[in-house]
Amino acid sequence: MTDSPETSDQPLGTRGGNRSLRPTSKRFLDFVTSGWGPRTDLGVTRSPAADFAAARRARLSARFPGARLVVPAGTPAVRSNDTDFRFRPHAAFAHLTGLGMEQEPQAVLVLHPVEDGAGDGGSGHHAVLYLNPPAGRDTEEFFADSAHGEFWVGARPALADIEVLTGITAEHLDGLRDALAKDAGADGVAILLLAGVDEAVDEVVAQIRADEAAGRSDERLAEALSELRLVKDEHELAQLQLAVDTTIEGFAKVVRALPAATAHRRGERVVEGTFLGHARQEGNDVGYHTIAAAGEHATTLHWTDNDGAVRDGELLLLDAGVEADSLYTADVTRTLPVNGTYTDAQRKVYQVVLDAADAAIAAIRPGIRFRDVHAAAMAVIADRVAAWGLLPVSAAESLDPDAQLHRRWMVHGTSHHLGLDVHDCAQARAEMYLDGVLEPGMVFTVEPGLYFKSDDLLVPEELRGIGVRIEDDVVVTEDGCRLLTGALARTPDDVEAWMAALRER
Ligand code: GLY
Ligand code: MN
Ligand code: MN
């Protein structure tokens, strides 16, 4: 093969266009941009999340008086070449705007400092959303821009639509740089940026900042945005319950699909596909890659290849969550007997994990520390594996922070906060998270497990190859907690009865 001398000078970055011919004649341009009826009214109404998002912004405002706060939605991540993943905004942006799946890439929320009390709702900030409004049909963007043009991506909200939807002032993205630069400088207004979300915004802010050290306070903003989400409001709790309820329906569909899964060489994909189809039909997506782990695969904590067979007599560990249109996600695991009945060995392991989960759930109430939930589950796990003779020390010795030998069979934590991100509030300080004190409205998982790998010579043969996790989502209440996942069978008897009933239908 020889180089073609005619084309080798063409810059690589422009060669993506070599595959098609777009007419560029003036006659075509005039023709394609004319003859269109009026824009469709999208019928936008105020989002039910709008008032809650306003209250969240007011709380953030109170933490950063006088500073300009910049929270980008982000841009789509590249999947390969010029193909992107479906866009999902940063959780902080979704939280502060109330925008779910209807949001816009490249949008930026800015909380401009104003005189104390003169801002939105009597706060010290005025919020403005900067975004790309749809171009008119008389522009080239309309038919030639595959990222924004309505010919390619469909009708998009105008700035006025966004204002109705969110109750936030909306302005053109072109005005962002000037808006951020206003009053900035060494003695001016400090900008705090949620960095690393949108490179273009990072660059604009870097150019405006006179003071290098300012970048370091960005971390305080990221931390505050995570901590702001630790306690869920009423709207968030309803969305999380919706995500869980939709997930439970998805689990039922998977049980009905088990005969198809056992008949397929890659039955785990049948399970994954069944759940994904449900999540896309009834919600926005899955909140994370589904773990459909049959047999020995259940002992691999994040088994997402899902390319194995699903066999009669084995367990299926299904860890899956529907993300609602609001972007709140469930995170649920059940470990099901593929043929509908647990063997004695499977039941024995399942019961220990269930007892650990129940102990953790019984401990949950306002005032205890997040880490105490894990400790309650671990006391049960250590006690039982010691009773089975698996430990070279007593349960009490194993529970010593310097030992922790029982963790060989459960190396992951028991709980994580749950919300817009499956592992929510990840930038919160340790004193607010692991060492934090539980408050009503916090939502987290309880997900103990036991994983006995088939080549683990320290466990009896009958237990090898068995992996069990039970994962529930709980909300802390005034005097304890409530299982958002309480409607999904948990005990071995209830799981068997639930599966049998589904199979009869
Ligand atoms: N599905 C991931 C987790 O349980 O944390
Ligand atoms: Mn989880
Ligand atoms: Mn999970």
Side-chain angles (χ1 to χ4, degrees), residues 378-387 390-409:
M378 286 311 94
V380 173
I381 296 283
D383 180 65
R384 303 300 169 80
V385 294
L390 306 191
L391 290 175
V393 297
S394 69
E397 279 174 84
S398 187
L399 285 164
D400 186 293
D402 286 334
Q404 298 286 305
L405 305 190
H406 55 283
R407 296 292 299 278
R408 173 185 174 103
W409 297 289

PDB file of all heavy atoms in Angstrom, residues 378-387 390-409:
ATOM      1  N   MET A 378     -20.369  -6.811  61.001  1.00  0.00           N
ATOM      2  CA  MET A 378     -19.125  -7.580  61.116  1.00  0.00           C
ATOM      3  C   MET A 378     -19.109  -8.469  62.351  1.00  0.00           C
ATOM      4  O   MET A 378     -18.508  -9.548  62.348  1.00  0.00           O
ATOM      5  CB  MET A 378     -17.914  -6.641  61.133  1.00  0.00           C
ATOM      6  CG  MET A 378     -17.575  -6.040  59.786  1.00  0.00           C
ATOM      7  SD  MET A 378     -17.498  -7.253  58.440  1.00  0.00           S
ATOM      8  CE  MET A 378     -19.133  -7.141  57.799  1.00  0.00           C
ATOM      9  N   ALA A 379     -19.776  -8.035  63.421  1.00  0.00           N
ATOM     10  CA  ALA A 379     -19.813  -8.860  64.631  1.00  0.00           C
ATOM     11  C   ALA A 379     -20.469 -10.200  64.306  1.00  0.00           C
ATOM     12  O   ALA A 379     -20.011 -11.263  64.760  1.00  0.00           O
ATOM     13  CB  ALA A 379     -20.578  -8.124  65.739  1.00  0.00           C
ATOM     14  N   VAL A 380     -21.519 -10.163  63.503  1.00  0.00           N
ATOM     15  CA  VAL A 380     -22.214 -11.407  63.139  1.00  0.00           C
ATOM     16  C   VAL A 380     -21.343 -12.269  62.222  1.00  0.00           C
ATOM     17  O   VAL A 380     -21.184 -13.477  62.431  1.00  0.00           O
ATOM     18  CB  VAL A 380     -23.570 -11.095  62.449  1.00  0.00           C
ATOM     19  CG1 VAL A 380     -24.218 -12.372  61.921  1.00  0.00           C
ATOM     20  CG2 VAL A 380     -24.499 -10.356  63.410  1.00  0.00           C
ATOM     21  N   ILE A 381     -20.755 -11.637  61.221  1.00  0.00           N
ATOM     22  CA  ILE A 381     -19.930 -12.400  60.267  1.00  0.00           C
ATOM     23  C   ILE A 381     -18.763 -13.080  61.001  1.00  0.00           C
ATOM     24  O   ILE A 381     -18.502 -14.275  60.808  1.00  0.00           O
ATOM     25  CB  ILE A 381     -19.385 -11.463  59.152  1.00  0.00           C
ATOM     26  CG1 ILE A 381     -20.549 -10.887  58.315  1.00  0.00           C
ATOM     27  CG2 ILE A 381     -18.341 -12.161  58.288  1.00  0.00           C
ATOM     28  CD1 ILE A 381     -21.160 -11.822  57.309  1.00  0.00           C
ATOM     29  N   ALA A 382     -18.095 -12.314  61.854  1.00  0.00           N
ATOM     30  CA  ALA A 382     -16.938 -12.883  62.577  1.00  0.00           C
ATOM     31  C   ALA A 382     -17.384 -14.036  63.468  1.00  0.00           C
ATOM     32  O   ALA A 382     -16.751 -15.099  63.507  1.00  0.00           O
ATOM     33  CB  ALA A 382     -16.250 -11.795  63.402  1.00  0.00           C
ATOM     34  N   ASP A 383     -18.505 -13.818  64.163  1.00  0.00           N
ATOM     35  CA  ASP A 383     -19.018 -14.841  65.067  1.00  0.00           C
ATOM     36  C   ASP A 383     -19.316 -16.154  64.314  1.00  0.00           C
ATOM     37  O   ASP A 383     -18.932 -17.243  64.753  1.00  0.00           O
ATOM     38  CB  ASP A 383     -20.302 -14.299  65.728  1.00  0.00           C
ATOM     39  CG  ASP A 383     -20.906 -15.301  66.673  1.00  0.00           C
ATOM     40  OD1 ASP A 383     -20.250 -15.594  67.681  1.00  0.00           O
ATOM     41  OD2 ASP A 383     -22.019 -15.809  66.390  1.00  0.00           O
ATOM     42  N   ARG A 384     -19.981 -16.040  63.160  1.00  0.00           N
ATOM     43  CA  ARG A 384     -20.383 -17.260  62.443  1.00  0.00           C
ATOM     44  C   ARG A 384     -19.220 -17.959  61.747  1.00  0.00           C
ATOM     45  O   ARG A 384     -19.162 -19.187  61.740  1.00  0.00           O
ATOM     46  CB  ARG A 384     -21.476 -16.944  61.411  1.00  0.00           C
ATOM     47  CG  ARG A 384     -22.695 -16.310  61.996  1.00  0.00           C
ATOM     48  CD  ARG A 384     -23.383 -17.203  63.060  1.00  0.00           C
ATOM     49  NE  ARG A 384     -24.381 -16.406  63.744  1.00  0.00           N
ATOM     50  CZ  ARG A 384     -25.585 -16.146  63.253  1.00  0.00           C
ATOM     51  NH1 ARG A 384     -25.943 -16.661  62.091  1.00  0.00           N
ATOM     52  NH2 ARG A 384     -26.409 -15.372  63.906  1.00  0.00           N
ATOM     53  N   VAL A 385     -18.322 -17.194  61.143  1.00  0.00           N
ATOM     54  CA  VAL A 385     -17.216 -17.904  60.490  1.00  0.00           C
ATOM     55  C   VAL A 385     -16.299 -18.543  61.537  1.00  0.00           C
ATOM     56  O   VAL A 385     -15.703 -19.591  61.281  1.00  0.00           O
ATOM     57  CB  VAL A 385     -16.425 -17.029  59.463  1.00  0.00           C
ATOM     58  CG1 VAL A 385     -17.285 -16.653  58.280  1.00  0.00           C
ATOM     59  CG2 VAL A 385     -15.794 -15.813  60.101  1.00  0.00           C
ATOM     60  N   ALA A 386     -16.278 -17.915  62.726  1.00  0.00           N
ATOM     61  CA  ALA A 386     -15.507 -18.541  63.814  1.00  0.00           C
ATOM     62  C   ALA A 386     -16.195 -19.840  64.236  1.00  0.00           C
ATOM     63  O   ALA A 386     -15.544 -20.880  64.423  1.00  0.00           O
ATOM     64  CB  ALA A 386     -15.387 -17.579  64.997  1.00  0.00           C
ATOM     65  N   ALA A 387     -17.521 -19.790  64.369  1.00  0.00           N
ATOM     66  CA  ALA A 387     -18.271 -20.992  64.774  1.00  0.00           C
ATOM     67  C   ALA A 387     -18.113 -22.115  63.749  1.00  0.00           C
ATOM     68  O   ALA A 387     -18.148 -23.295  64.119  1.00  0.00           O
ATOM     69  CB  ALA A 387     -19.748 -20.632  64.952  1.00  0.00           C
ATOM     70  N   LEU A 390     -13.589 -21.565  60.681  1.00  0.00           N
ATOM     71  CA  LEU A 390     -12.783 -21.058  59.561  1.00  0.00           C
ATOM     72  C   LEU A 390     -11.639 -20.159  60.019  1.00  0.00           C
ATOM     73  O   LEU A 390     -10.696 -19.926  59.272  1.00  0.00           O
ATOM     74  CB  LEU A 390     -13.664 -20.270  58.569  1.00  0.00           C
ATOM     75  CG  LEU A 390     -14.892 -20.977  58.010  1.00  0.00           C
ATOM     76  CD1 LEU A 390     -15.478 -20.176  56.856  1.00  0.00           C
ATOM     77  CD2 LEU A 390     -14.546 -22.384  57.529  1.00  0.00           C
ATOM     78  N   LEU A 391     -11.758 -19.645  61.246  1.00  0.00           N
ATOM     79  CA  LEU A 391     -10.750 -18.682  61.709  1.00  0.00           C
ATOM     80  C   LEU A 391      -9.705 -19.351  62.600  1.00  0.00           C
ATOM     81  O   LEU A 391     -10.058 -20.198  63.423  1.00  0.00           O
ATOM     82  CB  LEU A 391     -11.430 -17.566  62.512  1.00  0.00           C
ATOM     83  CG  LEU A 391     -12.299 -16.577  61.743  1.00  0.00           C
ATOM     84  CD1 LEU A 391     -12.988 -15.618  62.722  1.00  0.00           C
ATOM     85  CD2 LEU A 391     -11.461 -15.792  60.742  1.00  0.00           C
ATOM     86  N   PRO A 392      -8.465 -18.916  62.483  1.00  0.00           N
ATOM     87  CA  PRO A 392      -7.428 -19.459  63.381  1.00  0.00           C
ATOM     88  C   PRO A 392      -7.453 -18.786  64.750  1.00  0.00           C
ATOM     89  O   PRO A 392      -6.658 -19.130  65.629  1.00  0.00           O
ATOM     90  CB  PRO A 392      -6.122 -19.124  62.641  1.00  0.00           C
ATOM     91  CG  PRO A 392      -6.450 -17.924  61.805  1.00  0.00           C
ATOM     92  CD  PRO A 392      -7.911 -18.006  61.464  1.00  0.00           C
ATOM     93  N   VAL A 393      -8.360 -17.803  64.925  1.00  0.00           N
ATOM     94  CA  VAL A 393      -8.470 -17.073  66.204  1.00  0.00           C
ATOM     95  C   VAL A 393      -9.944 -17.019  66.585  1.00  0.00           C
ATOM     96  O   VAL A 393     -10.808 -17.391  65.784  1.00  0.00           O
ATOM     97  CB  VAL A 393      -7.917 -15.627  66.077  1.00  0.00           C
ATOM     98  CG1 VAL A 393      -6.423 -15.628  65.754  1.00  0.00           C
ATOM     99  CG2 VAL A 393      -8.691 -14.841  65.010  1.00  0.00           C
ATOM    100  N   SER A 394     -10.240 -16.495  67.787  1.00  0.00           N
ATOM    101  CA  SER A 394     -11.640 -16.361  68.184  1.00  0.00           C
ATOM    102  C   SER A 394     -12.254 -15.188  67.418  1.00  0.00           C
ATOM    103  O   SER A 394     -11.532 -14.337  66.862  1.00  0.00           O
ATOM    104  CB  SER A 394     -11.724 -16.077  69.684  1.00  0.00           C
ATOM    105  OG  SER A 394     -11.210 -14.778  69.939  1.00  0.00           O
ATOM    106  N   ALA A 395     -13.600 -15.126  67.436  1.00  0.00           N
ATOM    107  CA  ALA A 395     -14.288 -14.017  66.763  1.00  0.00           C
ATOM    108  C   ALA A 395     -13.842 -12.694  67.368  1.00  0.00           C
ATOM    109  O   ALA A 395     -13.591 -11.716  66.649  1.00  0.00           O
ATOM    110  CB  ALA A 395     -15.800 -14.195  66.893  1.00  0.00           C
ATOM    111  N   ALA A 396     -13.735 -12.670  68.718  1.00  0.00           N
ATOM    112  CA  ALA A 396     -13.357 -11.423  69.389  1.00  0.00           C
ATOM    113  C   ALA A 396     -11.972 -10.962  68.936  1.00  0.00           C
ATOM    114  O   ALA A 396     -11.754  -9.778  68.654  1.00  0.00           O
ATOM    115  CB  ALA A 396     -13.392 -11.615  70.906  1.00  0.00           C
ATOM    116  N   GLU A 397     -11.050 -11.920  68.850  1.00  0.00           N
ATOM    117  CA  GLU A 397      -9.694 -11.546  68.392  1.00  0.00           C
ATOM    118  C   GLU A 397      -9.723 -11.070  66.947  1.00  0.00           C
ATOM    119  O   GLU A 397      -9.029 -10.130  66.568  1.00  0.00           O
ATOM    120  CB  GLU A 397      -8.756 -12.755  68.489  1.00  0.00           C
ATOM    121  CG  GLU A 397      -8.204 -13.018  69.876  1.00  0.00           C
ATOM    122  CD  GLU A 397      -7.404 -14.321  69.883  1.00  0.00           C
ATOM    123  OE1 GLU A 397      -6.214 -14.290  69.511  1.00  0.00           O
ATOM    124  OE2 GLU A 397      -7.995 -15.369  70.225  1.00  0.00           O
ATOM    125  N   SER A 398     -10.533 -11.731  66.148  1.00  0.00           N
ATOM    126  CA  SER A 398     -10.602 -11.352  64.735  1.00  0.00           C
ATOM    127  C   SER A 398     -11.148  -9.945  64.572  1.00  0.00           C
ATOM    128  O   SER A 398     -10.741  -9.202  63.673  1.00  0.00           O
ATOM    129  CB  SER A 398     -11.463 -12.357  63.971  1.00  0.00           C
ATOM    130  OG  SER A 398     -11.404 -12.092  62.592  1.00  0.00           O
ATOM    131  N   LEU A 399     -12.080  -9.566  65.464  1.00  0.00           N
ATOM    132  CA  LEU A 399     -12.700  -8.241  65.359  1.00  0.00           C
ATOM    133  C   LEU A 399     -11.738  -7.120  65.771  1.00  0.00           C
ATOM    134  O   LEU A 399     -12.004  -5.945  65.501  1.00  0.00           O
ATOM    135  CB  LEU A 399     -13.987  -8.193  66.198  1.00  0.00           C
ATOM    136  CG  LEU A 399     -15.163  -8.946  65.556  1.00  0.00           C
ATOM    137  CD1 LEU A 399     -16.269  -9.201  66.582  1.00  0.00           C
ATOM    138  CD2 LEU A 399     -15.717  -8.198  64.353  1.00  0.00           C
ATOM    139  N   ASP A 400     -10.647  -7.463  66.418  1.00  0.00           N
ATOM    140  CA  ASP A 400      -9.653  -6.453  66.772  1.00  0.00           C
ATOM    141  C   ASP A 400      -9.208  -5.735  65.491  1.00  0.00           C
ATOM    142  O   ASP A 400      -8.931  -6.379  64.483  1.00  0.00           O
ATOM    143  CB  ASP A 400      -8.452  -7.159  67.435  1.00  0.00           C
ATOM    144  CG  ASP A 400      -7.437  -6.159  67.955  1.00  0.00           C
ATOM    145  OD1 ASP A 400      -6.804  -5.449  67.124  1.00  0.00           O
ATOM    146  OD2 ASP A 400      -7.275  -6.094  69.175  1.00  0.00           O
ATOM    147  N   PRO A 401      -9.150  -4.388  65.529  1.00  0.00           N
ATOM    148  CA  PRO A 401      -8.764  -3.643  64.323  1.00  0.00           C
ATOM    149  C   PRO A 401      -7.444  -4.113  63.717  1.00  0.00           C
ATOM    150  O   PRO A 401      -7.238  -4.001  62.510  1.00  0.00           O
ATOM    151  CB  PRO A 401      -8.658  -2.196  64.809  1.00  0.00           C
ATOM    152  CG  PRO A 401      -9.520  -2.140  66.028  1.00  0.00           C
ATOM    153  CD  PRO A 401      -9.493  -3.508  66.645  1.00  0.00           C
ATOM    154  N   ASP A 402      -6.575  -4.683  64.544  1.00  0.00           N
ATOM    155  CA  ASP A 402      -5.301  -5.154  64.022  1.00  0.00           C
ATOM    156  C   ASP A 402      -5.371  -6.557  63.420  1.00  0.00           C
ATOM    157  O   ASP A 402      -4.362  -7.047  62.890  1.00  0.00           O
ATOM    158  CB  ASP A 402      -4.238  -5.170  65.134  1.00  0.00           C
ATOM    159  CG  ASP A 402      -3.788  -3.765  65.467  1.00  0.00           C
ATOM    160  OD1 ASP A 402      -3.893  -2.895  64.567  1.00  0.00           O
ATOM    161  OD2 ASP A 402      -3.374  -3.532  66.618  1.00  0.00           O
ATOM    162  N   ALA A 403      -6.519  -7.204  63.520  1.00  0.00           N
ATOM    163  CA  ALA A 403      -6.641  -8.557  62.971  1.00  0.00           C
ATOM    164  C   ALA A 403      -7.579  -8.559  61.756  1.00  0.00           C
ATOM    165  O   ALA A 403      -7.139  -8.592  60.616  1.00  0.00           O
ATOM    166  CB  ALA A 403      -7.137  -9.507  64.049  1.00  0.00           C
ATOM    167  N   GLN A 404      -8.877  -8.587  62.033  1.00  0.00           N
ATOM    168  CA  GLN A 404      -9.876  -8.498  60.941  1.00  0.00           C
ATOM    169  C   GLN A 404      -9.787  -9.688  59.965  1.00  0.00           C
ATOM    170  O   GLN A 404     -10.048  -9.535  58.766  1.00  0.00           O
ATOM    171  CB  GLN A 404      -9.695  -7.179  60.157  1.00  0.00           C
ATOM    172  CG  GLN A 404      -9.907  -5.927  61.001  1.00  0.00           C
ATOM    173  CD  GLN A 404     -11.372  -5.688  61.297  1.00  0.00           C
ATOM    174  OE1 GLN A 404     -12.223  -5.603  60.396  1.00  0.00           O
ATOM    175  NE2 GLN A 404     -11.703  -5.623  62.579  1.00  0.00           N
ATOM    176  N   LEU A 405      -9.436 -10.860  60.500  1.00  0.00           N
ATOM    177  CA  LEU A 405      -9.227 -12.000  59.608  1.00  0.00           C
ATOM    178  C   LEU A 405     -10.510 -12.425  58.881  1.00  0.00           C
ATOM    179  O   LEU A 405     -10.462 -12.915  57.754  1.00  0.00           O
ATOM    180  CB  LEU A 405      -8.640 -13.184  60.393  1.00  0.00           C
ATOM    181  CG  LEU A 405      -7.346 -12.894  61.180  1.00  0.00           C
ATOM    182  CD1 LEU A 405      -6.750 -14.192  61.709  1.00  0.00           C
ATOM    183  CD2 LEU A 405      -6.323 -12.171  60.311  1.00  0.00           C
ATOM    184  N   HIS A 406     -11.652 -12.234  59.551  1.00  0.00           N
ATOM    185  CA  HIS A 406     -12.934 -12.612  58.933  1.00  0.00           C
ATOM    186  C   HIS A 406     -13.187 -11.854  57.632  1.00  0.00           C
ATOM    187  O   HIS A 406     -13.980 -12.278  56.798  1.00  0.00           O
ATOM    188  CB  HIS A 406     -14.087 -12.358  59.920  1.00  0.00           C
ATOM    189  CG  HIS A 406     -14.118 -10.958  60.431  1.00  0.00           C
ATOM    190  ND1 HIS A 406     -13.249 -10.494  61.397  1.00  0.00           N
ATOM    191  CD2 HIS A 406     -14.893  -9.898  60.096  1.00  0.00           C
ATOM    192  CE1 HIS A 406     -13.487  -9.215  61.647  1.00  0.00           C
ATOM    193  NE2 HIS A 406     -14.471  -8.837  60.867  1.00  0.00           N
ATOM    194  N   ARG A 407     -12.508 -10.717  57.463  1.00  0.00           N
ATOM    195  CA  ARG A 407     -12.727  -9.917  56.257  1.00  0.00           C
ATOM    196  C   ARG A 407     -12.187 -10.610  54.995  1.00  0.00           C
ATOM    197  O   ARG A 407     -12.434 -10.153  53.886  1.00  0.00           O
ATOM    198  CB  ARG A 407     -12.103  -8.523  56.409  1.00  0.00           C
ATOM    199  CG  ARG A 407     -12.721  -7.673  57.513  1.00  0.00           C
ATOM    200  CD  ARG A 407     -14.156  -7.262  57.193  1.00  0.00           C
ATOM    201  NE  ARG A 407     -14.258  -6.465  55.986  1.00  0.00           N
ATOM    202  CZ  ARG A 407     -14.038  -5.154  55.922  1.00  0.00           C
ATOM    203  NH1 ARG A 407     -13.706  -4.485  57.013  1.00  0.00           N
ATOM    204  NH2 ARG A 407     -14.158  -4.505  54.786  1.00  0.00           N
ATOM    205  N   ARG A 408     -11.441 -11.708  55.173  1.00  0.00           N
ATOM    206  CA  ARG A 408     -11.029 -12.503  54.004  1.00  0.00           C
ATOM    207  C   ARG A 408     -12.252 -12.851  53.146  1.00  0.00           C
ATOM    208  O   ARG A 408     -12.157 -12.984  51.940  1.00  0.00           O
ATOM    209  CB  ARG A 408     -10.347 -13.792  54.497  1.00  0.00           C
ATOM    210  CG  ARG A 408     -10.000 -14.806  53.404  1.00  0.00           C
ATOM    211  CD  ARG A 408      -9.449 -16.068  54.057  1.00  0.00           C
ATOM    212  NE  ARG A 408      -9.220 -17.141  53.096  1.00  0.00           N
ATOM    213  CZ  ARG A 408      -8.019 -17.480  52.623  1.00  0.00           C
ATOM    214  NH1 ARG A 408      -6.947 -16.833  53.006  1.00  0.00           N
ATOM    215  NH2 ARG A 408      -7.896 -18.479  51.762  1.00  0.00           N
ATOM    216  N   TRP A 409     -13.402 -13.031  53.809  1.00  0.00           N
ATOM    217  CA  TRP A 409     -14.591 -13.478  53.083  1.00  0.00           C
ATOM    218  C   TRP A 409     -15.596 -12.354  52.837  1.00  0.00           C
ATOM    219  O   TRP A 409     -16.681 -12.590  52.344  1.00  0.00           O
ATOM    220  CB  TRP A 409     -15.235 -14.651  53.838  1.00  0.00           C
ATOM    221  CG  TRP A 409     -14.280 -15.805  53.879  1.00  0.00           C
ATOM    222  CD1 TRP A 409     -13.910 -16.594  52.824  1.00  0.00           C
ATOM    223  CD2 TRP A 409     -13.534 -16.274  55.015  1.00  0.00           C
ATOM    224  NE1 TRP A 409     -12.978 -17.520  53.225  1.00  0.00           N
ATOM    225  CE2 TRP A 409     -12.728 -17.365  54.564  1.00  0.00           C
ATOM    226  CE3 TRP A 409     -13.455 -15.902  56.357  1.00  0.00           C
ATOM    227  CZ2 TRP A 409     -11.878 -18.072  55.407  1.00  0.00           C
ATOM    228  CZ3 TRP A 409     -12.604 -16.604  57.200  1.00  0.00           C
ATOM    229  CH2 TRP A 409     -11.827 -17.675  56.716  1.00  0.00           C
TER     230      TRP A 409
END
